[in-house]
Amino acid sequence: VQDGSDVLVYSDQHRLVRVDPAAPQSVNAGDKTGTLPGGADRVLSNGGYVAFLNTGSGLLQGGTVRDAASGRLQTVVAGSGGTSSGRKADGFAAAALTERGDIWGVTSAGVLVTYSLTERKRTAHTKTGLRLAGGGTDQLTVFDRHWAVLETPATGAPTLYLDGRKSSVAVDRSARLARASAQADTLAIATAQGLRRLDAAGASHGARTKATGAPAEPVYLGSCLYAAWGDGAQTTVSACGRVQSLAGSPQRGQDAKLAFMINGGTVALNETANGVVWLQAGKHRWKLVRSSLDWTATDDQQVAASTQQDQEASTNQCPVPATGAAAQFGVRPGQLASLPVLIGATDPNRGDVVT
């Protein structure tokens, strides 16, 4: 999550670290790594704002990226009168965050709450009549002055609600609603078959975009809509209506996990499963960040080191003794001199250290 020079790095192990550009550090540094606020398992970012949702407890917090880095977050309360009763029904099942700093949250009991991070207050509290099972699979988004919920049960097909009304639009379990946008005039939904846009009444808007693979969450930047799909061997991106395959797509198997990252006007597409990154270098041009192909997970490095040690141990099962030859040095009286005393020592065994 980034806003200007304020950067937060988080992982699916619920770890969080603040990155200081003036003092680089390892994201694995134990004394610098904390847990996600409130034990969150969902992180929402948009513009200069970030929100954290714990789908188990229903706790929802948010603030600017800078506030989050310093631990100054605001808590969104769903209970009537702006208080929390502690009941599970008052906990949020899904949330959305707009680029203007407005948090939208819907509870399992169907209460829709909006909260302004800039005004630091709740701005709406509405009973919608929805009943959500929760479990962390439901999605909420905002477009223009409308909202949509995609309820995904443990089994069966998802159900789409537009402004609280059940829609007849059918989507599969891979469906991803677009990131909330106060400027968007339509709802975008990406599925394993492509991209479609709907108006607030559920009618199709414009032509469908055909693509295959695991979809990323679509995002709006101004009037331009971005979407992406990965199928294990190919990455496809749609930017402002133009679809193309990205060069340098690595072989990843079937576990593609694509996500768009936006900082100001810069758009990046990140394959979060292995760290590969593409940057938008023009309206319809994407550039692979070559260095991202070389990133190696710590676990992989440890496995490689262990394998190397095993190979060396196997090679040296019948070691040959080290040998040494006399060495002569010339020095000047009264001056310090470094003597490489092991210059004549040799050891033919791979991996041995001569001391």
Side-chain angles (χ1 to χ4, degrees), residues 232-269:
Q234 177 177 281
T235 300
T236 303
V237 65
S238 171
C240 307
R242 180 171 176 176
V243 181
Q244 59 185 301
S245 296
L246 297 185
S249 299
Q251 300 291 330
R252 295 181 304 272
Q254 297 300 315
D255 296 326
K257 296 180 180 179
L258 295 165
F260 285 101
M261 309 295 177
I262 298 177
N263 182 24
T266 301
V267 181
L269 178 61

PDB file of all heavy atoms in Angstrom, residues 232-269:
ATOM      1  N   GLY A 232      -2.165 -19.221 -15.633  1.00  0.00           N
ATOM      2  CA  GLY A 232      -1.052 -20.104 -15.349  1.00  0.00           C
ATOM      3  C   GLY A 232       0.075 -19.986 -16.345  1.00  0.00           C
ATOM      4  O   GLY A 232       1.239 -20.195 -16.005  1.00  0.00           O
ATOM      5  N   ALA A 233      -0.236 -19.651 -17.588  1.00  0.00           N
ATOM      6  CA  ALA A 233       0.806 -19.512 -18.600  1.00  0.00           C
ATOM      7  C   ALA A 233       0.763 -18.149 -19.281  1.00  0.00           C
ATOM      8  O   ALA A 233       1.720 -17.747 -19.925  1.00  0.00           O
ATOM      9  CB  ALA A 233       0.666 -20.611 -19.653  1.00  0.00           C
ATOM     10  N   GLN A 234      -0.338 -17.440 -19.132  1.00  0.00           N
ATOM     11  CA  GLN A 234      -0.499 -16.167 -19.825  1.00  0.00           C
ATOM     12  C   GLN A 234      -1.220 -15.172 -18.931  1.00  0.00           C
ATOM     13  O   GLN A 234      -2.115 -15.532 -18.182  1.00  0.00           O
ATOM     14  CB  GLN A 234      -1.302 -16.374 -21.113  1.00  0.00           C
ATOM     15  CG  GLN A 234      -1.602 -15.095 -21.886  1.00  0.00           C
ATOM     16  CD  GLN A 234      -2.322 -15.374 -23.187  1.00  0.00           C
ATOM     17  OE1 GLN A 234      -1.725 -15.770 -24.173  1.00  0.00           O
ATOM     18  NE2 GLN A 234      -3.633 -15.185 -23.182  1.00  0.00           N
ATOM     19  N   THR A 235      -0.798 -13.910 -19.014  1.00  0.00           N
ATOM     20  CA  THR A 235      -1.461 -12.825 -18.294  1.00  0.00           C
ATOM     21  C   THR A 235      -2.104 -11.897 -19.323  1.00  0.00           C
ATOM     22  O   THR A 235      -1.432 -11.429 -20.250  1.00  0.00           O
ATOM     23  CB  THR A 235      -0.463 -12.045 -17.430  1.00  0.00           C
ATOM     24  OG1 THR A 235       0.127 -12.933 -16.485  1.00  0.00           O
ATOM     25  CG2 THR A 235      -1.159 -10.920 -16.692  1.00  0.00           C
ATOM     26  N   THR A 236      -3.393 -11.641 -19.157  1.00  0.00           N
ATOM     27  CA  THR A 236      -4.138 -10.778 -20.069  1.00  0.00           C
ATOM     28  C   THR A 236      -4.612  -9.561 -19.303  1.00  0.00           C
ATOM     29  O   THR A 236      -5.083  -9.677 -18.168  1.00  0.00           O
ATOM     30  CB  THR A 236      -5.351 -11.523 -20.654  1.00  0.00           C
ATOM     31  OG1 THR A 236      -4.907 -12.715 -21.307  1.00  0.00           O
ATOM     32  CG2 THR A 236      -6.089 -10.653 -21.653  1.00  0.00           C
ATOM     33  N   VAL A 237      -4.496  -8.387 -19.921  1.00  0.00           N
ATOM     34  CA  VAL A 237      -4.911  -7.157 -19.264  1.00  0.00           C
ATOM     35  C   VAL A 237      -5.819  -6.363 -20.191  1.00  0.00           C
ATOM     36  O   VAL A 237      -5.647  -6.365 -21.413  1.00  0.00           O
ATOM     37  CB  VAL A 237      -3.685  -6.305 -18.853  1.00  0.00           C
ATOM     38  CG1 VAL A 237      -2.913  -5.821 -20.063  1.00  0.00           C
ATOM     39  CG2 VAL A 237      -4.105  -5.132 -17.977  1.00  0.00           C
ATOM     40  N   SER A 238      -6.815  -5.709 -19.593  1.00  0.00           N
ATOM     41  CA  SER A 238      -7.698  -4.804 -20.320  1.00  0.00           C
ATOM     42  C   SER A 238      -7.536  -3.420 -19.707  1.00  0.00           C
ATOM     43  O   SER A 238      -7.743  -3.252 -18.499  1.00  0.00           O
ATOM     44  CB  SER A 238      -9.153  -5.267 -20.210  1.00  0.00           C
ATOM     45  OG  SER A 238     -10.030  -4.287 -20.747  1.00  0.00           O
ATOM     46  N   ALA A 239      -7.147  -2.453 -20.520  1.00  0.00           N
ATOM     47  CA  ALA A 239      -6.963  -1.080 -20.045  1.00  0.00           C
ATOM     48  C   ALA A 239      -7.730  -0.138 -20.950  1.00  0.00           C
ATOM     49  O   ALA A 239      -7.467  -0.082 -22.159  1.00  0.00           O
ATOM     50  CB  ALA A 239      -5.476  -0.708 -20.033  1.00  0.00           C
ATOM     51  N   CYS A 240      -8.700   0.559 -20.396  1.00  0.00           N
ATOM     52  CA  CYS A 240      -9.520   1.514 -21.168  1.00  0.00           C
ATOM     53  C   CYS A 240     -10.172   0.831 -22.360  1.00  0.00           C
ATOM     54  O   CYS A 240     -10.322   1.433 -23.433  1.00  0.00           O
ATOM     55  CB  CYS A 240      -8.671   2.706 -21.616  1.00  0.00           C
ATOM     56  SG  CYS A 240      -7.769   3.525 -20.286  1.00  0.00           S
ATOM     57  N   GLY A 241     -10.542  -0.444 -22.206  1.00  0.00           N
ATOM     58  CA  GLY A 241     -11.252  -1.162 -23.256  1.00  0.00           C
ATOM     59  C   GLY A 241     -10.384  -1.950 -24.204  1.00  0.00           C
ATOM     60  O   GLY A 241     -10.901  -2.744 -24.994  1.00  0.00           O
ATOM     61  N   ARG A 242      -9.062  -1.777 -24.154  1.00  0.00           N
ATOM     62  CA  ARG A 242      -8.170  -2.508 -25.052  1.00  0.00           C
ATOM     63  C   ARG A 242      -7.575  -3.711 -24.331  1.00  0.00           C
ATOM     64  O   ARG A 242      -7.015  -3.580 -23.249  1.00  0.00           O
ATOM     65  CB  ARG A 242      -7.054  -1.609 -25.562  1.00  0.00           C
ATOM     66  CG  ARG A 242      -6.085  -2.328 -26.497  1.00  0.00           C
ATOM     67  CD  ARG A 242      -5.129  -1.372 -27.138  1.00  0.00           C
ATOM     68  NE  ARG A 242      -4.146  -2.068 -27.962  1.00  0.00           N
ATOM     69  CZ  ARG A 242      -3.226  -1.460 -28.702  1.00  0.00           C
ATOM     70  NH1 ARG A 242      -3.185  -0.141 -28.743  1.00  0.00           N
ATOM     71  NH2 ARG A 242      -2.370  -2.165 -29.424  1.00  0.00           N
ATOM     72  N   VAL A 243      -7.701  -4.904 -24.943  1.00  0.00           N
ATOM     73  CA  VAL A 243      -7.245  -6.152 -24.348  1.00  0.00           C
ATOM     74  C   VAL A 243      -5.951  -6.600 -25.015  1.00  0.00           C
ATOM     75  O   VAL A 243      -5.832  -6.560 -26.247  1.00  0.00           O
ATOM     76  CB  VAL A 243      -8.316  -7.253 -24.492  1.00  0.00           C
ATOM     77  CG1 VAL A 243      -7.840  -8.556 -23.850  1.00  0.00           C
ATOM     78  CG2 VAL A 243      -9.631  -6.804 -23.869  1.00  0.00           C
ATOM     79  N   GLN A 244      -4.983  -7.026 -24.203  1.00  0.00           N
ATOM     80  CA  GLN A 244      -3.717  -7.519 -24.744  1.00  0.00           C
ATOM     81  C   GLN A 244      -3.076  -8.507 -23.785  1.00  0.00           C
ATOM     82  O   GLN A 244      -3.354  -8.512 -22.585  1.00  0.00           O
ATOM     83  CB  GLN A 244      -2.759  -6.355 -25.003  1.00  0.00           C
ATOM     84  CG  GLN A 244      -2.442  -5.527 -23.768  1.00  0.00           C
ATOM     85  CD  GLN A 244      -1.596  -4.316 -24.075  1.00  0.00           C
ATOM     86  OE1 GLN A 244      -0.489  -4.435 -24.603  1.00  0.00           O
ATOM     87  NE2 GLN A 244      -2.127  -3.135 -23.778  1.00  0.00           N
ATOM     88  N   SER A 245      -2.219  -9.378 -24.354  1.00  0.00           N
ATOM     89  CA  SER A 245      -1.428 -10.301 -23.542  1.00  0.00           C
ATOM     90  C   SER A 245      -0.122  -9.623 -23.184  1.00  0.00           C
ATOM     91  O   SER A 245       0.484  -8.950 -24.021  1.00  0.00           O
ATOM     92  CB  SER A 245      -1.161 -11.600 -24.314  1.00  0.00           C
ATOM     93  OG  SER A 245      -2.375 -12.279 -24.583  1.00  0.00           O
ATOM     94  N   LEU A 246       0.316  -9.814 -21.955  1.00  0.00           N
ATOM     95  CA  LEU A 246       1.529  -9.156 -21.497  1.00  0.00           C
ATOM     96  C   LEU A 246       2.757  -9.992 -21.811  1.00  0.00           C
ATOM     97  O   LEU A 246       2.773 -11.210 -21.578  1.00  0.00           O
ATOM     98  CB  LEU A 246       1.458  -8.890 -19.992  1.00  0.00           C
ATOM     99  CG  LEU A 246       0.350  -7.950 -19.535  1.00  0.00           C
ATOM    100  CD1 LEU A 246       0.476  -7.670 -18.052  1.00  0.00           C
ATOM    101  CD2 LEU A 246       0.384  -6.634 -20.319  1.00  0.00           C
ATOM    102  N   ALA A 247       3.780  -9.332 -22.325  1.00  0.00           N
ATOM    103  CA  ALA A 247       5.042 -10.007 -22.637  1.00  0.00           C
ATOM    104  C   ALA A 247       5.732 -10.408 -21.343  1.00  0.00           C
ATOM    105  O   ALA A 247       5.653  -9.723 -20.329  1.00  0.00           O
ATOM    106  CB  ALA A 247       5.947  -9.074 -23.444  1.00  0.00           C
ATOM    107  N   GLY A 248       6.435 -11.539 -21.410  1.00  0.00           N
ATOM    108  CA  GLY A 248       7.211 -11.983 -20.261  1.00  0.00           C
ATOM    109  C   GLY A 248       6.377 -12.670 -19.204  1.00  0.00           C
ATOM    110  O   GLY A 248       6.834 -12.853 -18.075  1.00  0.00           O
ATOM    111  N   SER A 249       5.132 -13.078 -19.551  1.00  0.00           N
ATOM    112  CA  SER A 249       4.301 -13.762 -18.566  1.00  0.00           C
ATOM    113  C   SER A 249       4.971 -15.069 -18.163  1.00  0.00           C
ATOM    114  O   SER A 249       5.240 -15.913 -19.010  1.00  0.00           O
ATOM    115  CB  SER A 249       2.916 -14.048 -19.141  1.00  0.00           C
ATOM    116  OG  SER A 249       2.270 -12.842 -19.489  1.00  0.00           O
ATOM    117  N   PRO A 250       5.276 -15.266 -16.875  1.00  0.00           N
ATOM    118  CA  PRO A 250       5.979 -16.477 -16.449  1.00  0.00           C
ATOM    119  C   PRO A 250       5.052 -17.672 -16.340  1.00  0.00           C
ATOM    120  O   PRO A 250       3.832 -17.526 -16.254  1.00  0.00           O
ATOM    121  CB  PRO A 250       6.518 -16.088 -15.065  1.00  0.00           C
ATOM    122  CG  PRO A 250       5.513 -15.101 -14.568  1.00  0.00           C
ATOM    123  CD  PRO A 250       5.030 -14.338 -15.774  1.00  0.00           C
ATOM    124  N   GLN A 251       5.627 -18.861 -16.380  1.00  0.00           N
ATOM    125  CA  GLN A 251       4.859 -20.071 -16.139  1.00  0.00           C
ATOM    126  C   GLN A 251       4.615 -20.187 -14.637  1.00  0.00           C
ATOM    127  O   GLN A 251       5.539 -20.300 -13.858  1.00  0.00           O
ATOM    128  CB  GLN A 251       5.632 -21.296 -16.656  1.00  0.00           C
ATOM    129  CG  GLN A 251       5.929 -21.242 -18.152  1.00  0.00           C
ATOM    130  CD  GLN A 251       4.680 -21.398 -18.987  1.00  0.00           C
ATOM    131  OE1 GLN A 251       3.731 -22.057 -18.564  1.00  0.00           O
ATOM    132  NE2 GLN A 251       4.653 -20.790 -20.161  1.00  0.00           N
ATOM    133  N   ARG A 252       3.351 -20.191 -14.202  1.00  0.00           N
ATOM    134  CA  ARG A 252       3.067 -20.139 -12.778  1.00  0.00           C
ATOM    135  C   ARG A 252       2.219 -21.301 -12.280  1.00  0.00           C
ATOM    136  O   ARG A 252       1.924 -21.396 -11.115  1.00  0.00           O
ATOM    137  CB  ARG A 252       2.303 -18.843 -12.439  1.00  0.00           C
ATOM    138  CG  ARG A 252       3.065 -17.581 -12.667  1.00  0.00           C
ATOM    139  CD  ARG A 252       2.181 -16.403 -12.266  1.00  0.00           C
ATOM    140  NE  ARG A 252       0.921 -16.413 -12.979  1.00  0.00           N
ATOM    141  CZ  ARG A 252       0.730 -15.842 -14.156  1.00  0.00           C
ATOM    142  NH1 ARG A 252       1.717 -15.212 -14.757  1.00  0.00           N
ATOM    143  NH2 ARG A 252      -0.442 -15.898 -14.748  1.00  0.00           N
ATOM    144  N   GLY A 253       1.780 -22.184 -13.157  1.00  0.00           N
ATOM    145  CA  GLY A 253       0.799 -23.169 -12.716  1.00  0.00           C
ATOM    146  C   GLY A 253      -0.581 -22.524 -12.735  1.00  0.00           C
ATOM    147  O   GLY A 253      -0.816 -21.550 -13.430  1.00  0.00           O
ATOM    148  N   GLN A 254      -1.505 -23.029 -11.963  1.00  0.00           N
ATOM    149  CA  GLN A 254      -2.891 -22.554 -12.003  1.00  0.00           C
ATOM    150  C   GLN A 254      -3.261 -21.627 -10.855  1.00  0.00           C
ATOM    151  O   GLN A 254      -4.433 -21.381 -10.625  1.00  0.00           O
ATOM    152  CB  GLN A 254      -3.820 -23.774 -12.012  1.00  0.00           C
ATOM    153  CG  GLN A 254      -3.647 -24.660 -13.231  1.00  0.00           C
ATOM    154  CD  GLN A 254      -3.915 -23.923 -14.531  1.00  0.00           C
ATOM    155  OE1 GLN A 254      -4.894 -23.188 -14.650  1.00  0.00           O
ATOM    156  NE2 GLN A 254      -3.053 -24.113 -15.507  1.00  0.00           N
ATOM    157  N   ASP A 255      -2.297 -21.114 -10.124  1.00  0.00           N
ATOM    158  CA  ASP A 255      -2.600 -20.309  -8.942  1.00  0.00           C
ATOM    159  C   ASP A 255      -2.285 -18.832  -9.144  1.00  0.00           C
ATOM    160  O   ASP A 255      -1.612 -18.208  -8.333  1.00  0.00           O
ATOM    161  CB  ASP A 255      -1.829 -20.834  -7.725  1.00  0.00           C
ATOM    162  CG  ASP A 255      -2.249 -22.239  -7.347  1.00  0.00           C
ATOM    163  OD1 ASP A 255      -3.445 -22.543  -7.528  1.00  0.00           O
ATOM    164  OD2 ASP A 255      -1.408 -23.013  -6.890  1.00  0.00           O
ATOM    165  N   ALA A 256      -2.754 -18.269 -10.252  1.00  0.00           N
ATOM    166  CA  ALA A 256      -2.515 -16.853 -10.514  1.00  0.00           C
ATOM    167  C   ALA A 256      -3.273 -15.993  -9.508  1.00  0.00           C
ATOM    168  O   ALA A 256      -4.444 -16.239  -9.221  1.00  0.00           O
ATOM    169  CB  ALA A 256      -2.959 -16.503 -11.933  1.00  0.00           C
ATOM    170  N   LYS A 257      -2.599 -15.001  -8.942  1.00  0.00           N
ATOM    171  CA  LYS A 257      -3.206 -14.076  -7.985  1.00  0.00           C
ATOM    172  C   LYS A 257      -2.791 -12.664  -8.365  1.00  0.00           C
ATOM    173  O   LYS A 257      -1.805 -12.141  -7.859  1.00  0.00           O
ATOM    174  CB  LYS A 257      -2.766 -14.409  -6.557  1.00  0.00           C
ATOM    175  CG  LYS A 257      -3.225 -15.777  -6.069  1.00  0.00           C
ATOM    176  CD  LYS A 257      -2.761 -16.040  -4.655  1.00  0.00           C
ATOM    177  CE  LYS A 257      -3.215 -17.419  -4.161  1.00  0.00           C
ATOM    178  NZ  LYS A 257      -2.746 -17.689  -2.787  1.00  0.00           N
ATOM    179  N   LEU A 258      -3.549 -12.075  -9.275  1.00  0.00           N
ATOM    180  CA  LEU A 258      -3.207 -10.764  -9.813  1.00  0.00           C
ATOM    181  C   LEU A 258      -3.877  -9.651  -9.019  1.00  0.00           C
ATOM    182  O   LEU A 258      -5.002  -9.799  -8.550  1.00  0.00           O
ATOM    183  CB  LEU A 258      -3.626 -10.676 -11.279  1.00  0.00           C
ATOM    184  CG  LEU A 258      -2.904 -11.622 -12.246  1.00  0.00           C
ATOM    185  CD1 LEU A 258      -3.645 -11.688 -13.563  1.00  0.00           C
ATOM    186  CD2 LEU A 258      -1.465 -11.166 -12.466  1.00  0.00           C
ATOM    187  N   ALA A 259      -3.170  -8.531  -8.905  1.00  0.00           N
ATOM    188  CA  ALA A 259      -3.731  -7.374  -8.195  1.00  0.00           C
ATOM    189  C   ALA A 259      -3.157  -6.100  -8.793  1.00  0.00           C
ATOM    190  O   ALA A 259      -1.960  -6.031  -9.098  1.00  0.00           O
ATOM    191  CB  ALA A 259      -3.411  -7.448  -6.706  1.00  0.00           C
ATOM    192  N   PHE A 260      -4.016  -5.100  -8.968  1.00  0.00           N
ATOM    193  CA  PHE A 260      -3.573  -3.793  -9.440  1.00  0.00           C
ATOM    194  C   PHE A 260      -3.142  -2.940  -8.255  1.00  0.00           C
ATOM    195  O   PHE A 260      -3.797  -2.922  -7.219  1.00  0.00           O
ATOM    196  CB  PHE A 260      -4.688  -3.077 -10.199  1.00  0.00           C
ATOM    197  CG  PHE A 260      -4.935  -3.619 -11.581  1.00  0.00           C
ATOM    198  CD1 PHE A 260      -5.996  -4.471 -11.823  1.00  0.00           C
ATOM    199  CD2 PHE A 260      -4.098  -3.276 -12.632  1.00  0.00           C
ATOM    200  CE1 PHE A 260      -6.234  -4.976 -13.093  1.00  0.00           C
ATOM    201  CE2 PHE A 260      -4.319  -3.773 -13.906  1.00  0.00           C
ATOM    202  CZ  PHE A 260      -5.387  -4.631 -14.137  1.00  0.00           C
ATOM    203  N   MET A 261      -2.023  -2.244  -8.424  1.00  0.00           N
ATOM    204  CA  MET A 261      -1.525  -1.294  -7.436  1.00  0.00           C
ATOM    205  C   MET A 261      -1.451   0.080  -8.096  1.00  0.00           C
ATOM    206  O   MET A 261      -0.909   0.198  -9.200  1.00  0.00           O
ATOM    207  CB  MET A 261      -0.138  -1.707  -6.922  1.00  0.00           C
ATOM    208  CG  MET A 261      -0.055  -3.145  -6.440  1.00  0.00           C
ATOM    209  SD  MET A 261      -1.077  -3.428  -4.979  1.00  0.00           S
ATOM    210  CE  MET A 261      -0.841  -5.205  -4.734  1.00  0.00           C
ATOM    211  N   ILE A 262      -1.997   1.098  -7.433  1.00  0.00           N
ATOM    212  CA  ILE A 262      -2.015   2.445  -8.004  1.00  0.00           C
ATOM    213  C   ILE A 262      -1.424   3.425  -7.010  1.00  0.00           C
ATOM    214  O   ILE A 262      -1.809   3.448  -5.836  1.00  0.00           O
ATOM    215  CB  ILE A 262      -3.451   2.872  -8.383  1.00  0.00           C
ATOM    216  CG1 ILE A 262      -4.011   1.924  -9.446  1.00  0.00           C
ATOM    217  CG2 ILE A 262      -3.472   4.314  -8.881  1.00  0.00           C
ATOM    218  CD1 ILE A 262      -5.444   2.223  -9.836  1.00  0.00           C
ATOM    219  N   ASN A 263      -0.474   4.219  -7.479  1.00  0.00           N
ATOM    220  CA  ASN A 263       0.117   5.281  -6.659  1.00  0.00           C
ATOM    221  C   ASN A 263       0.104   6.555  -7.497  1.00  0.00           C
ATOM    222  O   ASN A 263       0.884   6.687  -8.443  1.00  0.00           O
ATOM    223  CB  ASN A 263       1.549   4.932  -6.247  1.00  0.00           C
ATOM    224  CG  ASN A 263       2.167   6.002  -5.364  1.00  0.00           C
ATOM    225  OD1 ASN A 263       1.470   6.757  -4.695  1.00  0.00           O
ATOM    226  ND2 ASN A 263       3.490   6.082  -5.375  1.00  0.00           N
ATOM    227  N   GLY A 264      -0.812   7.458  -7.167  1.00  0.00           N
ATOM    228  CA  GLY A 264      -0.972   8.649  -8.002  1.00  0.00           C
ATOM    229  C   GLY A 264      -1.509   8.234  -9.364  1.00  0.00           C
ATOM    230  O   GLY A 264      -2.543   7.592  -9.482  1.00  0.00           O
ATOM    231  N   GLY A 265      -0.772   8.564 -10.424  1.00  0.00           N
ATOM    232  CA  GLY A 265      -1.172   8.171 -11.772  1.00  0.00           C
ATOM    233  C   GLY A 265      -0.434   6.957 -12.276  1.00  0.00           C
ATOM    234  O   GLY A 265      -0.583   6.579 -13.449  1.00  0.00           O
ATOM    235  N   THR A 266       0.367   6.300 -11.425  1.00  0.00           N
ATOM    236  CA  THR A 266       1.137   5.127 -11.827  1.00  0.00           C
ATOM    237  C   THR A 266       0.345   3.859 -11.548  1.00  0.00           C
ATOM    238  O   THR A 266      -0.153   3.660 -10.440  1.00  0.00           O
ATOM    239  CB  THR A 266       2.477   5.051 -11.072  1.00  0.00           C
ATOM    240  OG1 THR A 266       3.225   6.239 -11.332  1.00  0.00           O
ATOM    241  CG2 THR A 266       3.279   3.839 -11.508  1.00  0.00           C
ATOM    242  N   VAL A 267       0.215   2.999 -12.572  1.00  0.00           N
ATOM    243  CA  VAL A 267      -0.529   1.747 -12.445  1.00  0.00           C
ATOM    244  C   VAL A 267       0.437   0.581 -12.590  1.00  0.00           C
ATOM    245  O   VAL A 267       1.214   0.514 -13.549  1.00  0.00           O
ATOM    246  CB  VAL A 267      -1.635   1.641 -13.503  1.00  0.00           C
ATOM    247  CG1 VAL A 267      -2.412   0.339 -13.344  1.00  0.00           C
ATOM    248  CG2 VAL A 267      -2.581   2.829 -13.413  1.00  0.00           C
ATOM    249  N   ALA A 268       0.391  -0.341 -11.651  1.00  0.00           N
ATOM    250  CA  ALA A 268       1.204  -1.554 -11.707  1.00  0.00           C
ATOM    251  C   ALA A 268       0.299  -2.761 -11.556  1.00  0.00           C
ATOM    252  O   ALA A 268      -0.701  -2.720 -10.828  1.00  0.00           O
ATOM    253  CB  ALA A 268       2.269  -1.552 -10.619  1.00  0.00           C
ATOM    254  N   LEU A 269       0.645  -3.830 -12.262  1.00  0.00           N
ATOM    255  CA  LEU A 269      -0.054  -5.100 -12.118  1.00  0.00           C
ATOM    256  C   LEU A 269       0.912  -6.073 -11.465  1.00  0.00           C
ATOM    257  O   LEU A 269       2.010  -6.308 -11.962  1.00  0.00           O
ATOM    258  CB  LEU A 269      -0.511  -5.635 -13.482  1.00  0.00           C
ATOM    259  CG  LEU A 269      -1.225  -6.994 -13.456  1.00  0.00           C
ATOM    260  CD1 LEU A 269      -2.501  -6.929 -12.616  1.00  0.00           C
ATOM    261  CD2 LEU A 269      -1.547  -7.457 -14.884  1.00  0.00           C
TER     262      LEU A 269
END
